[in-house]
Amino acid sequence: MTTSPVPTVPSLVSARVLEALRAHTAPFAGLGEPIEDLLAPARDLLGGGKRLRAEFCAAGWAGFSDEPALAGSPPILAGAAIELFQGAALVHDDVMDGSHTRRGMPAVHRRLAAEHAAAGWLGSADRYGEAGAILLGDLLLSVSSMEIDRARAAVGPGASARAREVWDLMTSEVAVGQYLDIRSQAQPWAEDGAPAVEMALEVVRMKSARYSVEHPLTLGAALAGADDDALARLRAVGLPLGEAFQLRDDVLGVFGDPALTGKPAGDDLREGKRTVLLGLAMHRADPPAREHLRTQVGRADLTDDDVARLQEILVGSGAVAAHEDLIAERLRVGLAELERADLPDAVSEELTRLADALAARQA
């Protein structure tokens, strides 16, 4: 006799994400083909992802509640809400960056543009694709809000209010961080690149570090009834781990294997992303190399050979090694704070596993 495997948090959240999308858009099912055309790219996008944010949310819950994370429980609903919000952020981010792919598939705006062109519809296919993607992102934001409200309705009023505060800060902070990101890309480089490192670190914290670890961790804990002091201890754990997460992402954006990342190698260089890695290179490179970075980064038509030359500068300047040291340092700080967080042993072990996974990931 065989037994069924116990569902994991990622599998439970993955199932709930698709069910939540269906349930919260059910009032529009009667529209038929138009709503299906809009939701199909969302289902494909939401079917992927590592669910690390959802796992941090569940770990936060486990730190302050004996109730397991089961289907329909607050941490699973909250994890689904986070993943739906992440879907919205990715759709909008790809429009802003002009990205062509996401998770090995055409980015939503490119998919919608291709469908417009194939159907021979009127007007610009590109404008249609971008407009449709913006609207789909807005719809996913709405659906994520509905889903977090389901999670909050399942806990007491105090826990619900604290969770709302975490959610509101997270969702608004990501928007501000995105603006800081595009604003930094529009500004000229400083002569030695030093200010770019500090600005990039601020973007990292506001756009992704807190959102990737700190806020999911504290959201789960808040739903479980953690008080303000406990949430402060978790924030001290989550921020440096989130910084390590995003810093690793910046390495993958330049050196990642497209078969694993789902995006072309060097995509961040073509998009002109003002990352910490690039800022370190601008600060450390010699004048000719710095000038090469200044004139080449941000060119959408960079060839593979162009990307390889830029990668050589990043490595040769010592920027990659310094960046790896920074990832390791942020990981050490987060794990040291974890030891002081006064969490159950099993939760500390789970958070240590997640921290190691996010710092060493290849996708």
Side-chain angles (χ1 to χ4, degrees), residues 200-222:
L201 282 169
E202 186 60 34
V203 172
V204 161
R205 295 180 189 112
M206 295 199 68
K207 179 185 174 182
S208 55
R210 293 190 180 102
Y211 157 56
S212 295
V213 179
E214 177 186 331
H215 292 320
L217 184 61
T218 55
L219 180 63

Side-chain angles (χ1 to χ4, degrees), residues 25-273:
T25 59
F28 315 115
L31 293 173
E33 183 180 356
I35 191 64
E36 177 59 24
D37 287 348
L38 183 63
L39 294 180
R43 286 194 294 269
D44 290 343
L45 177 66
L46 294 168
K50 296 170 286 296
R51 310 300 189 220
L52 280 172
R53 293 174 181 84
E55 290 197 90
F56 276 108
C57 181
W61 169 270
F64 300 90
S65 174
D66 294 329
E67 295 181 24
L70 303 175
S73 65
I76 298 303
L77 296 174
I82 293 169
E83 293 296 332
L84 288 159
F85 178 78
Q86 166 72 350
L90 293 179
V91 172
H92 285 165
D93 196 49
D94 285 343
V95 173
M96 287 184 283
D97 291 343
S99 299
H100 287 269
T101 60
R102 172 68 67 175
R103 294 177 176 169
M105 302 176 291
V108 169
H109 65 285
R110 298 310 308 157
R111 173 171 171 169
L112 294 176
E115 291 172 357
H116 178 288
W121 290 347
L122 303 176
S124 166
D126 287 344
R127 285 181 62 86
Y128 172 86
E130 291 174 358
I134 291 169
L135 293 169
L136 177 58
D138 290 347
L139 178 60
L140 291 175
L141 288 174
S142 180
V143 170
S144 71
S145 182
M146 297 179 206
E147 189 71 355
I148 195 60
D149 282 347
R150 287 178 66 96
R152 291 175 52 237
V155 300
S160 176
R162 281 197 176 93
R164 180 84 252 179
E165 291 176 0
V166 175
W167 180 264
D168 288 347
L169 176 59
M170 179 185 79
T171 54
S172 57
E173 188 174 67
V174 168
V176 174
Q178 280 279 25
Y179 174 70
L180 292 179
D181 191 20
I182 64 170
R183 188 176 187 273
S184 69
Q185 289 175 226
Q187 294 179 324
W189 285 103
E191 187 58 33
D192 67 352
V197 176
E198 288 306 313
M199 172 53 73
L201 282 169
E202 186 60 34
V203 172
V204 161
R205 295 180 189 112
M206 295 199 68
K207 179 185 174 182
S208 55
R210 293 190 180 102
Y211 157 56
S212 295
V213 179
E214 177 186 331
H215 292 320
L217 184 61
T218 55
L219 180 63
L223 287 167
D227 61 22
D228 290 341
D229 288 342
L231 294 179
R233 292 196 298 274
L234 290 183
R235 283 193 287 271
V237 175
L239 178 57
L241 294 184
E243 290 171 335
F245 174 92
Q246 183 55 44
L247 292 170
R248 173 60 61 207
D249 201 63
D250 292 344
V251 175
L252 296 176
V254 175
F255 295 97
D257 181 350
L260 298 176
T261 64
K263 300 189 74 173
D267 230 25
D268 281 2
L269 298 174
R270 294 185 179 92
E271 293 171 6
K273 289 286 185 183

